[in-house]
Amino acid sequence: MSLKAQLFPAESRYLPGQRWLNVLFRTLHLVGLGGLGAGFLYPAADDSWQLYLQITLVSGIGLSLISIYSNGIWLIQLRGQVVFLKLVLLALMIPFPQLRAELFILIILLSGWIAHATAQVRYYSLYHRRRIESGDLHRQGSESN
């Protein structure tokens, strides 16, 4: 089986218990974001907020891995691209700590926007310049043969 077929299956895959894993990771992600908000918006005197950063990163990685396993098309859809943008914004907090609050709010705004956007927006591919779903890559490949 080719790497493309493994990464972009014609039909999305599901892990046993995937729904509950998603619920668990999303809940932990919210807990982490709450703690980060306290650390970034009201600068903590110590580094106690870093535990929340770890919770947020681990839960976000878990959510991303589930999405990629289900179908790697997530990586080229706007919903996956926004996750990468949020990571870049998070990384910008290192050289620009004075912008932590503003970058954190921008990350929250991007999260809310993409989570509640229409499917037309969430499944849009910057690469393909249109909405793209799991079977599209396979249909496109068979049309060129």
Side-chain angles (χ1 to χ4, degrees), residues 22-67:
N22 264 315
V23 169
L24 172 68
F25 285 138
R26 286 184 191 284
T27 303
L28 288 172
H29 209 63
L30 289 171
V31 169
L33 287 171
L36 281 180
F40 290 164
L41 299 176
Y42 306 102
D46 58 15
D47 289 339
S48 59
W49 59 268
Q50 294 215 0
L51 171 63
Y52 295 102
L53 175 62
Q54 293 170 8
I55 291 169
T56 303
L57 289 174
V58 168
S59 60
I61 289 168
L63 288 165
S64 297
L65 289 174
I66 289 171
S67 293

Side-chain angles (χ1 to χ4, degrees), residues 61-79:
I61 289 168
L63 288 165
S64 297
L65 289 174
I66 289 171
S67 293
I68 293 166
Y69 171 79
S70 291
N71 199 318
I73 201 163
W74 178 86
L75 293 165
I76 57 176
Q77 291 172 326
L78 201 52
R79 58 192 179 143

Side-chain angles (χ1 to χ4, degrees), residues 109-131:
L109 290 172
L110 286 168
S111 298
W113 169 71
I114 200 66
H116 299 285
T118 63
Q120 193 69 20
V121 172
R122 294 174 66 237
Y123 297 110
Y124 184 82
S125 167
L126 295 171
Y127 176 76
H128 295 91
R129 302 281 186 230
R130 63 180 171 83
R131 177 179 172 164

